[in-house]
C-alpha cells in the first residue's frame, strides 16, 4: 500500500501528461507521465519488454511525459548517472489515455536497482476532456456479454440498442448514442474507419479474443476525428510481445438452454382471410444453436524487433425461423450461418525512433439453408419449396501505419488502409418466370374459398452478385511539443465506392400485392387512384397492385478533412484544448458526376478544458463544446440522385390463379402506372438534384461534468450533455410544388422534370435548380413555409450519474444512471418505427403532409437508463460476474390516412401521423414497456491447471422477460379500413439463453 506522502505526490503530477499527449479518439496509443524529484541529468526510461525503449529528460519542475506509446505493459525507470534509481513495473496503458507514474522525493534516493509493483488509490485521468468508456480484454473475459463491439458499447452511459431492428452486415444489432440515429456513428479498428459507407450500418468486428481494448466515445472528442454526430466505437487489437503466448476456446449456446420465444397475435381485429385465426407470428417455432471455436497465438519472430499476433474464430449458427403469416418469401427456413473472423498484426521496431505496424482483419457472414412451406394452423413444417439464398456479407481490411519519434518533441504518424466488403445473394433454383405474391391475407375470400393461393416464388428482388463497397483511408499527423503547448496538425482523407448496388423486381420484373380499402373511398387522392367499388370485383373494396422497381448503380464519394489542435497546459491545474477541423464532402452519381460539392470551409471548432480542482487529481471538473459534421452516405446516390424506378398500377380482379396471380383484371383510374415520387427510371441532371448551396449535416454539443475520488477505492461523478442538430440532409419529393413555385415566378418550367426527389436542407428555406422549356437552368427560391414544414428540430439533453469501484484484487463494480430526452420532429437519418433503411432518404420531409404532427419524443428517446455491471473473485479459483440493465421504453406510434376523411393527398397511403382521423404525434399513444435484462456469469479456473484452464457458464435474460421493443404502427390497411396488424409486436427482447465455454491459455 502506498504511503500518504507517495499517494499525494503521485496525484499532484497528473495534469502534466498533456505536455506531450497526442493520443485521442480512434488512436492505438497511450501516454505515460508523472513527476520526479530529479537531479540534473536525470532521465526517465520506459520499456515495454518487446524491444521498444524510449527516454525523456525531466524538466526543471520535475515533470516528464512520453506520448504515443503502443499499448502494452511497461517498466518505468528513473535513470541517474546511467543506472536505475527507481523502477516501477507492470504499468498497463489504456488507449487514448494518460497513465500517471510518479516517484516521490524519498523514493529516488539511494534506491538503485529497487523494483516496485504497488497498488495505489484509483486515479482520475485529468489529461482528458472527452467522454468515453474504455473496456479492457481482462474485463471482457470476465463479464457476461454478447460477443460483439456493439454489446460492449452498451456498457457506456447513454448508449442503447436501436429501436428499429437495424443490424450490421454481419448481424450485430446497432446501437444509438445520445438520441442520434443508428446510422450516425463511426467505427474504427486500430485507427482505421470500418464504417459501412453505403448506409452507416455498423462496421467490421474483430475475433472477440483479439480485442485488447475498446473505446466507446459518447462525446467531446478531438478535432483530429469527425464524420459522426452520434458516437464512436474504436477497437484496438492485441499485439505480440517477446514471449510466445497462445490459447484456444470453445463456446456452446445450445437451443436446449434457450427459452421459447413468445408468439405474436393480431390485436386489432383480423384480416379478411386470416391464415391461422389471430396468430400473427409463431415465434415459439424458432430455434437456434451456436458453436464458436477460436484460437490465438502471439510472440516474437525476431526478438525485440519483429512481432506477430494472430487470432481466428469461426461461429456456426444453426436453427429454424418461421416467418409471420403475411410473408410469402420464406414461410419456414432452416438455416446455417458460418461467421469466420480473423485478425493478424505485425509490429516492426525498426529502432527506438521508427515503428511500422501492418494489420489484417476479416469479418464475414455466410448463410445457406432450405425453405419449406408451413401450416400455421397445425404449426407444422410442410413440403420443401426451394433452397434458401446463398448469402455472403462482410469483408476484409488491410492497413499499414508508421510512427516516427523524430525528436523528444516531434512525432509523425502516417496510416493507409483499404476495406473491401461484399453483399452477395444468389437464390438457388430461382425461377425467372414465377411471380412474387404479397398481401396473401388480403386476397378476396369469396374467390379463394378461404384458402390463400400462392406460387413458388420465394425471391422478392434480385441483386447483382458482385455488389459491395470499397473504402480507402489516408491519415497523416504531426505532433510537436513547444513549451506548455502540444501542437498537432494533419489530414484525414477517405474515399468510398458502392459497387453494383440496388435491386430489381424478381420474376417477370413485377410483383403482385393484394389489398383492401373502402369501396367508395379513393385508394389514393394524391396519385389520382379512384375508389375500387365502381370496378368489377371491387364491390367489397378488394384490389391488387402491380409493382415494378429497379435501382442498380455504382456510385462513390470523397471525404477530405484537415485539422489543427493545441493542448495548452495553462497552469499546473488547468488544461485547455483548442481544436479546429475542416471537412469537405463530394458525392457522385452513377455517371461519376458530382451532385454534391461541399468543398467550401466547414469549420468544426472543438474547445475543452480539464481543471484539477485541488491540484492532487482527486477532483476533476471538465467540459467541452464542439461542432461535428457528418458526410452524406452513398445511399442517396441510388435513389434521390439516381435513376431508380418504382411504379404501381392498381386493378380490381375477379379471379386468382393457382400460382396466386390475379385474373379478370380491370385497371382502376388513372389506368396507368403511377409513382408517388416520380420515380420513372430516368437519371436526373446532377445540377437539379440538390438544393443550391446545400449544407452538410452537423450537430453542436456541450458537455460539463466532474469526477471525484471518495476514499481509496471509489470514484463518483456526474455529467450533463446537450446536443442540438443544426442541419440535416434529406429528400423532398413534392416535385409539383417546386414546379408550381417556379411558374408563379414567371419561369416556363418544363413539366417533365426527371427528378423523383430533391436533396435539400429540411426545416429551412431552400433554392432549387430547375430547367425551363428551353433547357436553361433557373433558380427557384422556396421558403420553409411554402415547403410546408416547421423548423428542423432534434435536441437531446441528459444527466449522467456514475459510481465505480475499481478492481482491488477482490471485486470490481460500476453503476450508472442516465436521465435523458431526445425530442423534436425528426429522428435523423432513419425512421426506426418503420424500419426504413434508406439512410438520409426516409419518408420524413418528403412533403408537408407527411411531416404534420411529428413533434415529440423521438424513436431513440429512453427517459431512464440504469446500468450495473461487475465481477467478484469469490476464491482464487471462482469468479462471479453480472451485467444488469433497466431501460425505459420508446414512444409508441399510430399512423394512418390523412385527416378525418382518411385521405391520401400525396400518395403515401396510411403513413401520415393521424390515428382514427385524429392527429397522432409521437408519444400520444404512450410508451413501450421498460426492458430489464439480468445476465450472470460464473468462471472456474482450477489450481491444478495453473489457472490456464477455465470453465465458464453464463445465463442471459435470467428472468426471461420478453418485452416488446417495437410494435407495428400502421392502423389502416386502406382508407377507413382497420389494419389488423396494428399494435402487433414486431421486435421483442430475446428470450433467456445459456452459454457454456472452456478455454486454455498457455
Amino acid at each position: 500500500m502506498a504511503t500518504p506522502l507517495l499517494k499525494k505526490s503521485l496525484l499532484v503530477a497528473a495534469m502534466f501528461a498533456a505536455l506531450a499527449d497526442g493520443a485521442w479518439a480512434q488512436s492505438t496509443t497511450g501516454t505515460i507521465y508523472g513527476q520526479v524529484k530529479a537531479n540534473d541529468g536525470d532521465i526517465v526510461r520506459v520499456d515495454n519488454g518487446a524491444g521498444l525503449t524510449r527516454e525523456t529528460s525531466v524538466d526543471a519542475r520535475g515533470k516528464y511525459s512520453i506520448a504515443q506509446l503502443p499499448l502494452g505493459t511497461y517498466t518505468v525507470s528513473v535513470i541517474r548517472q546511467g543506472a536505475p534509481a527507481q523502477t516501477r513495473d507492470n504499468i498497463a496503458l489504456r488507449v487514448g489515455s494518460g497513465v500517471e507514474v510518479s516517484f516521490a522525493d524519498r523514493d529516488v534516493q539511494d534506491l538503485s536497482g529497487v523494483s516496485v509493483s504497488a497498488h495505489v488509490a484509483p486515479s482520475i485521468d485529468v489529461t482528458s476532456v472527452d467522454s468515453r468508456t474504455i473496456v479492457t480484454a481482462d474485463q471482457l473475459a470476465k463479464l457476461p456479454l454478447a460477443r460483439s463491439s456493439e454489446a460492449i458499447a452498451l456498457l457506456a452511459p447513454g448508449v442503447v440498442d436501436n429501436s428499429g431492428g437495424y443490424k450490421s452486415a454481419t448481424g450485430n444489432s446497432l446501437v444509438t448514442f445520445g438520441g442520434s440515429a443508428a446510422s450516425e456513428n463511426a467505427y474504427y479498428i486500430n485507427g482505421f474507419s470500418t464504417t459501412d459507407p453505403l448506409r452507416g450500418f455498423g462496421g467490421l468486428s474483430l475475433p472477440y479474443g483479439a480485442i485488447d481494448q475498446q473505446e466507446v466515445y459518447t462525446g467531446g472528442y478531438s478535432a483530429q476525428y469527425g464524420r459522426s454526430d452520434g458516437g464512436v466505437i474504436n477497437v484496438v487489437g492485441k499485439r505480440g510481445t517477446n514471449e510466445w503466448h497462445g490459447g484456444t476456446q470453445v463456446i456452446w449456446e445450445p437451443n436446449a438452454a434457450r427459452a421459447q420465444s413468445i408468439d405474436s397475435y393480431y390485436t386489432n381485429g383480423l384480416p379478411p382471410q386470416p391464415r391461422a385465426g389471430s396468430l400473427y407470428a409463431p415465434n415459439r417455432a424458432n430455434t437456434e444453436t451456436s458453436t464458436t471455436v477460436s484460437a490465438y497465438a502471439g510472440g516474437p519472430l525476431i526478438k525485440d524487433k519483429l512481432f506477430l499476433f494472430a487470432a481466428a474464430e469461426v461461429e456456426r449458427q444453426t436453427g429454424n425461423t418461421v416467418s409471420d403469416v403475411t410473408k410469402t418469401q420464406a414461410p419456414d427456413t432452416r438455416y446455417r450461418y458460418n461467421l469466420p473472423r480473423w485478425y493478424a498484426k505485425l509490429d516492426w521496431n525498426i529502432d527506438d525512433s521508427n515503428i511500422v505496424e501492418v494489420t489484417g482483419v476479416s469479418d464475414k457472414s455466410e448463410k445457406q439453408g432450405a425453405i419449406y412451406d408451413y401450416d400455421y394452423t397445425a404449426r407444422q413444417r410442410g413440403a420443401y419449396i426451394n433452397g434458401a439464398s446463398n448469402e455472403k456479407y462482410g469483408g476484409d481490411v488491410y492497413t499499414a501505419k508508421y510512427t516516427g519519434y523524430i525528436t523528444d518533441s516531434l512525432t509523425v504518424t502516417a496510416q493507409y488502409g483499404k476495406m473491401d466488403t461484399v453483399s452477395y445473394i444468389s437464390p438457388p433454383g430461382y425461377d425467372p418466370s414465377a411471380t412474387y405474391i404479397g398481401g396473401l391475407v388480403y386476397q378476396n375470400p369469396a374467390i379463394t374459398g378461404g384458402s390463400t393461393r400462392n406460387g413458388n416464388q420465394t425471391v422478392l428482388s434480385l441483386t447483382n452478385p458482385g455488389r459491395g463497397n470499397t473504402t480507402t483511408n489516408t491519415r497523416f499527423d504531426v505532433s510537436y511539443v513547444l513549451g506548455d503547448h502540444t501542437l498537432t496538425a494533419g489530414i484525414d482523407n477517405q474515399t468510398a465506392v458502392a459497387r453494383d448496388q440496388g435491386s430489381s423486381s424478381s420474376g417477370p420484373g413485377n410483383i403482385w400485392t393484394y389489398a383492401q380499402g373502402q369501396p367508395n373511398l379513393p385508394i389514393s387522392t394524391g396519385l389520382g387512384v379512384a375508389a375500387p367499388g365502381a370496378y368489377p370485383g371491387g364491390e367489397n373494396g378488394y384490389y391488387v397492385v402491380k409493382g415494378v422497381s429497379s435501382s442498380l448503380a455504382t456510385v462513390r464519394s470523397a471525404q477530405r478533412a484537415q485539422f489543427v489542435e493545441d493542448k495548452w497546459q495553462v497552469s499546473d491545474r488547468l488544461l485547455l484544448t483548442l481544436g479546429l477541423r475542416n471537412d469537405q464532402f463530394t458525392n457522385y452519381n452513377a455517371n461519376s458526376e458530382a451532385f454534391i460539392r461541399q468543398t467550401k470551409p466547414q469549420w468544426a471548432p472543438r474547445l475543452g478544458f480539464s481543471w484539477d480542482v485541488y491540484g492532487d487529481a482527486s477532483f476533476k471538473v471538465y467540459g467541452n463544446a464542439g461542432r461535428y459534421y457528418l458526410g452524406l452516405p452513398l445511399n442517396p446516390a441510388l435513389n434521390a440522385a439516381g435513376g431508380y424506378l418504382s411504379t404501381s398500377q392498381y386493378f380490381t380482379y375477379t379471379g386468382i390463379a393457382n400460382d396466386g396471380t390475379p385474373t379478370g383484371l380491370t385497371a382502376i383510374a388513372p389506368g396507368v402506372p403511377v409513382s408517388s415520387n416520380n420515380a420513372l427510371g430516368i437519371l436526373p441532371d446532377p445540377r437539379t438534384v440538390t438544393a443550391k448551396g446545400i449544407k452538410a449535416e452537423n450537430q453542436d454539443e456541450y458537455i460539463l461534468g466532474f469526477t471525484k475520488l471518495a476514499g481509496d477505492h471509489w470514484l463518483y461523478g456526474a455529467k450533463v450533455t446537450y446536443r442540438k442538430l443544426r442541419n440535416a440532409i434529406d429528400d423532398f419529393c413534392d416535385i409539383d410544388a417546386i414546379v408550381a413555385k417556379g411558374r408563379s415566378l414567371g419561369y416556363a418550367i418544363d413539366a417533365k422534370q426527371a427528378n423523383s426527389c430533391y436533396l435539400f436542407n429540411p426545416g429551412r428555406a431552400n433554392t432549387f435548380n430547375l430547367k425551363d422549356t428551353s433547357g436553361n437552368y433557373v433558380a427557384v427560391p422556396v421558403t420553409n413555409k411554402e415547403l410546408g414544414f416547421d423548423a428542423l428540430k432534434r435536441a437531446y439533453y441528459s444527466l449522467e450519474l456514475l459510481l465505480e469501484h475499481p478492481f482491488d484484487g477482490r471485486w470490481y463494480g460500476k453503476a450508472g444512471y442516465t436521465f435523458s430526452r431526445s425530442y423534436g420532429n425528426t429522428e435523423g437519418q432513419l425512421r426506426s418505427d418503420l424500419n426504413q433503411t434508406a439512410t438520409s432518404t426516409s419518408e420524413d420531409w418528403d412533403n408537408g403532409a407527411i411531416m404534420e404532427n411529428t413533434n415529440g419524443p423521438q424513436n431513440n428517446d429512453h427517459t431512464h437508463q440504469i446500468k450495473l455491471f461487475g465481477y467478484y473473485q469469490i476464491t482464487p479459483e471462482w469468479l462471479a460476474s453480472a451485467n444488469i440493465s433497466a431501460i425505459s421504453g420508446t414512444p409508441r406510434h399510430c399512423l394512418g390516412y390523412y385527416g378525418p376523411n382518411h385521405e391520401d393527398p400525396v400518395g403515401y397511403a396510411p403513413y401520415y401521423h393521424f390515428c382514427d382521423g385524429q392527429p397522432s404525434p409521437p408519444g400520444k399513444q404512450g410508451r413501450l414497456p421498460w426492458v430489464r435484462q439480468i445476465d450472470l456469469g460464473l468462471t472456474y479456473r482450477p489450481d491444478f491447471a495453473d489457472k490456464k484452464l477455465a470453465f465458464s457458464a453464463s445465463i442471459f435474460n435470467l428472468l426471461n422477460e420478453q418485452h416488446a421493443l417495437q410494435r407495428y404502427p400502421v392502423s389502416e390497411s386502406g382508407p377507413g379500413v382497420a389494419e389488423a396488424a396494428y399494435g402487433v409486436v414486431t421486435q421483442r427482447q430475446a428470450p433467456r439463453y445459456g452459454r457454456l465455454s472452456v478455454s486454455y491459455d498457455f
Side-chain angles (χ1 to χ4, degrees):
M1 184 67 169
T3 66
L5 175 61
L6 174 58
K7 288 195 289 183
K8 178 75 171 181
S9 300
L10 294 174
L11 295 172
V12 165
M15 286 292 286
F16 295 93
L19 292 176
D21 183 4
W24 280 88
Q26 295 89 265
S27 72
T28 60
T29 62
T31 297
I32 294 176
Y33 65 94
Q35 186 169 4
V36 178
K37 182 63 175 180
N39 297 328
D40 290 342
D42 284 2
I43 62 174
V44 173
R45 175 186 298 160
V46 300
D47 183 349
N48 70 351
L52 176 65
T53 301
R54 290 192 62 199
E55 296 180 346
T56 189
S57 58
V58 180
D59 70 15
R61 296 173 295 179
K63 298 174 176 61
Y64 77 92
S65 181
I66 303 178
Q68 297 198 27
L69 294 169
L71 297 186
T73 301
Y74 285 78
T75 297
V76 184
S77 303
V78 177
I79 308 299
R80 176 171 297 163
Q81 298 179 350
Q86 173 73 325
T87 297
R88 298 198 184 281
D89 297 323
N90 300 318
I91 305 301
L93 290 188
R94 282 200 167 196
V95 58
S97 300
V99 175
E100 187 268 343
V101 181
S102 291
F103 301 86
D105 187 3
R106 64 186 182 84
D107 291 334
V108 290
Q109 298 179 10
D110 303 321
L111 292 175
S112 297
V114 174
S115 178
V116 178
S117 299
H119 291 291
V120 296
S123 61
I124 296 173
D125 181 8
V126 293
T127 69
S128 63
V129 301
D130 48 60
S131 299
R132 59 181 155 159
T133 298
I134 299 176
V135 185
T136 66
D138 181 63
Q139 292 172 318
L140 294 179
K142 295 174 179 176
L143 291 169
L145 296 171
R147 294 166 57 85
S148 71
S149 293
E150 289 81 2
I152 300 169
L154 291 174
L155 298 176
V159 182
V160 295
D161 204 357
N162 79 90
S163 63
Y166 300 116
K167 296 183 182 297
S168 71
T170 52
N172 296 328
S173 182
L174 303 182
V175 293
T176 71
F177 291 71
S180 298
S183 61
E184 297 174 13
N185 307 320
Y187 299 78
Y188 291 80
I189 292 179
N190 285 358
F192 177 84
S193 173
T194 67
T195 310
D196 165 36
L198 182 64
R199 297 180 297 178
F201 278 16
L204 300 188
S205 298
L206 291 183
Y208 200 71
I211 299 174
D212 186 358
Q213 297 180 30
Q214 177 170 310
E215 286 181 297
V216 183
Y217 276 82
T218 54
Y221 46 89
S222 163
Q224 299 180 41
Y225 302 96
R227 303 180 187 131
S228 164
D229 60 13
V232 175
I233 295 176
N234 177 41
V235 180
V236 180
K238 294 178 180 178
R239 62 175 62 213
T241 65
N242 264 335
E243 294 184 9
W244 279 99
H245 294 281
T248 186
Q249 184 179 38
V250 177
I251 300 171
W252 187 38
E253 296 176 1
N255 187 69
R258 181 180 298 270
Q260 286 187 327
S261 298
I262 298 175
D263 293 336
S264 294
Y265 291 88
Y266 285 108
T267 58
N268 196 40
L270 296 178
Q273 194 162 288
R275 301 180 72 181
S278 62
L279 178 67
Y280 179 80
N283 300 319
R284 285 188 299 157
N286 299 336
T287 63
E288 180 180 330
T289 293
S290 172
T291 304
T292 303
V293 178
S294 64
Y296 76 92
L301 299 178
I302 302 176
K303 191 171 183 180
D304 292 336
K305 285 292 184 181
L306 186 63
F307 308 90
L308 169 69
F309 184 90
E313 71 177 26
V314 178
E315 179 183 0
R316 171 169 289 187
Q317 297 176 5
T318 57
N320 194 77
T321 298
V322 178
S323 299
D324 66 63
V325 296
T326 68
K327 300 292 195 303
T328 60
Q329 191 172 359
D332 185 350
T333 303
R334 186 182 65 200
Y335 64 84
R336 183 183 70 197
Y337 281 99
N338 290 323
L339 295 98
R341 300 183 183 94
W342 61 260
Y343 165 80
K345 189 170 191 293
L346 279 172
D347 292 276
W348 180 22
N349 297 338
I350 301 173
D351 53 39
D352 286 343
S353 299
N354 299 278
I355 299 174
V356 172
E357 306 169 41
V358 178
T359 302
V361 177
S362 182
D363 178 19
K364 296 178 180 178
S365 170
E366 304 169 354
K367 178 186 177 183
Q368 295 177 321
I371 297 174
Y372 298 85
D373 199 0
Y374 189 79
D375 186 331
Y376 287 91
T377 301
R379 298 197 179 213
Q380 293 181 349
R381 172 176 289 173
Y384 172 83
I385 296 177
N386 208 339
S389 296
N390 296 322
E391 302 178 11
K392 297 179 181 180
Y393 298 99
D396 304 312
V397 169
Y398 296 94
T399 71
K401 180 182 179 181
Y402 165 76
T403 302
Y405 306 109
I406 309 303
T407 68
D408 286 347
S409 300
L410 178 62
T411 303
V412 299
T413 61
Q415 183 179 38
Y416 175 81
K418 183 177 182 180
M419 175 176 71
D420 277 310
T421 61
V422 298
S423 184
Y424 170 86
I425 300 178
S426 176
Y430 167 67
D431 183 356
S433 65
T435 305
Y436 183 87
I437 308 298
L440 289 179
V441 294
Y442 287 98
Q443 289 180 339
N444 189 341
I447 296 174
T448 64
S451 178
T452 59
R453 299 177 186 176
N454 187 22
N456 292 327
Q457 183 59 273
T458 61
V459 179
L460 174 63
S461 60
L462 299 174
T463 61
N464 190 313
R467 69 174 179 169
N469 304 309
T470 298
T471 300
T472 60
N473 191 202
T474 304
R475 288 192 61 96
F476 181 76
D477 300 5
V478 178
S479 180
Y480 184 70
V481 179
L482 181 63
D484 291 334
H485 299 265
T486 297
L487 305 173
T488 306
I491 62 171
D492 176 15
N493 296 341
Q494 181 173 295
T495 61
V497 177
R499 306 182 308 273
D500 300 317
Q501 294 287 349
S503 62
S504 60
S505 301
S506 63
N510 67 271
I511 66 172
W512 290 102
T513 304
Y514 291 91
Q516 182 189 23
Q518 289 281 15
N520 58 340
L521 289 180
I523 295 172
S524 175
T525 52
L527 295 175
V529 183
Y535 297 85
E539 296 82 4
N540 292 316
Y542 290 99
Y543 62 94
V544 68
V545 185
K546 182 180 182 180
V548 177
S549 65
S550 179
S551 60
L552 301 173
T554 294
V555 297
R556 62 188 176 94
S557 68
Q559 301 187 359
R560 305 285 183 260
Q562 308 81 40
F563 60 86
V564 62
E565 186 171 71
D566 178 15
K567 296 187 69 178
W568 177 20
Q569 192 70 53
V570 180
S571 68
D572 287 358
R573 299 187 181 187
L574 181 61
L575 166 70
L576 295 181
T577 64
L578 311 170
L580 188 64
R581 182 182 175 91
N582 179 26
D583 283 286
Q584 303 98 44
F585 309 124
T586 305
N587 289 67
Y588 300 87
N589 67 10
N591 285 349
S592 293
E593 301 167 315
F595 62 90
I596 282 185
R597 288 189 185 274
Q598 295 165 334
T599 54
K600 294 181 179 179
Q602 298 183 124
W603 301 115
R606 311 283 173 81
L607 308 174
F609 78 92
S610 176
W611 177 32
D612 184 5
V613 178
Y614 298 143
D616 61 0
S618 66
F619 183 15
K620 165 186 166 181
V621 176
Y622 65 98
N624 48 65
R627 174 163 292 180
Y628 301 85
Y629 280 90
L630 181 62
L632 194 70
L634 291 172
N635 171 76
L638 300 175
N639 39 55
Y644 79 105
L645 173 68
S646 180
T647 63
S648 300
Q649 188 171 4
Y650 296 77
F651 300 87
T652 56
Y653 58 93
T654 58
I656 300 176
N658 289 333
D659 65 357
T661 56
T663 61
L665 296 171
T666 302
I668 302 173
V672 295
V674 294
S675 175
S676 58
N677 292 332
N678 199 34
L680 302 176
I682 303 173
L683 188 69
D685 187 328
R687 285 186 283 183
T688 67
V689 167
T690 61
K692 298 186 67 173
I694 189 170
K695 299 181 183 299
E697 180 169 327
N698 63 86
Q699 179 172 268
D700 289 345
E701 178 185 74
Y702 307 91
I703 295 174
L704 181 64
F706 78 88
T707 308
K708 195 175 187 303
L709 293 177
D712 290 343
H713 300 290
W714 291 92
L715 293 167
Y716 68 94
K719 185 185 75 172
V720 292
T721 300
Y722 178 72
R723 288 177 160 188
K724 185 175 181 61
L725 186 65
R726 296 292 183 183
N727 202 68
I729 295 179
D730 214 297
D731 57 340
F732 178 77
C733 304
D734 193 352
I735 306 298
D736 292 342
I738 306 302
V739 171
K741 177 61 187 294
R743 288 176 174 171
S744 73
L745 296 175
Y747 298 121
I749 302 298
D750 185 353
K752 297 181 180 179
Q753 300 288 318
N755 301 70
S756 61
C757 300
Y758 301 107
L759 291 170
F760 80 130
N761 293 135
R764 62 195 304 174
N766 285 261
T767 299
F768 299 90
N769 262 345
L770 277 71
K771 278 187 175 181
D772 64 16
T773 53
S774 298
N776 300 313
Y777 296 97
V778 296
V780 179
V782 187
T783 67
N784 193 45
K785 182 177 181 180
E786 290 171 328
L787 290 169
F789 299 131
D790 294 327
L792 173 78
K793 183 179 180 182
R794 188 184 78 186
Y796 171 85
Y797 61 83
S798 70
L799 168 65
E800 297 174 9
L801 303 177
L802 165 70
L803 180 64
E804 183 175 11
H805 182 282
F807 189 62
D808 59 1
R810 190 69 171 177
W811 71 284
Y812 167 82
K814 189 171 185 178
Y817 167 73
T818 301
F819 171 84
S820 65
R821 294 300 305 273
S822 178
Y823 60 95
N825 55 12
T826 183
E827 177 184 345
Q829 292 186 334
L830 300 173
R831 269 290 298 272
S832 294
D833 57 316
L834 296 175
N835 188 231
Q836 292 187 330
T837 59
T839 310
S840 289
T841 52
S842 71
E843 70 175 40
D844 275 2
W845 308 104
D846 283 4
N847 51 70
I850 209 71
M851 290 301 292
E852 290 186 31
N853 308 313
T854 55
N855 189 52
Q858 290 299 301
N859 287 316
N860 295 313
D861 179 72
H862 296 266
T863 307
H864 305 285
Q865 302 173 40
I866 302 170
K867 299 181 180 181
L868 305 96
F869 57 91
Y871 39 86
Y872 182 76
Q873 194 75 52
I874 304 171
T875 71
E877 293 182 299
W878 290 92
L879 178 117
S881 59
N883 181 22
I884 301 170
S885 64
I887 312 295
S888 62
T890 60
R892 284 192 62 178
H893 294 268
C894 181
L895 307 176
Y897 281 83
Y898 184 89
N901 295 323
H902 303 270
E903 299 173 302
D904 182 17
V906 290
Y908 275 57
Y911 292 98
Y912 304 93
H913 287 267
F914 285 85
C915 187
D916 195 24
Q918 300 300 313
S920 179
K924 184 177 180 180
Q925 311 302 324
R927 295 226 172 210
L928 293 168
W930 280 66
V931 177
R932 295 177 290 268
Q933 183 88 11
I934 300 176
D935 304 333
L936 302 177
L938 185 65
T939 299
Y940 172 56
R941 291 184 177 272
D943 286 334
F944 69 77
D946 197 24
K947 293 189 171 59
K948 295 179 179 180
L949 179 65
F951 302 92
S952 296
S954 300
I955 186 166
F956 297 86
N957 191 7
L958 176 68
L959 302 181
N960 195 30
E961 295 186 341
Q962 299 184 42
H963 292 300
L965 304 177
Q966 192 62 266
R967 291 180 179 270
Y968 188 61
V970 178
S971 64
E972 294 180 87
S973 62
V977 178
E979 169 56 71
Y982 170 62
V984 162
V985 177
T986 54
Q987 293 179 62
R988 195 183 292 278
Q989 186 180 4
R992 180 179 57 240
Y993 68 97
R995 174 194 295 166
L996 301 172
S997 72
V998 58
S999 63
Y1000 185 80
D1001 301 281
F1002 58 87

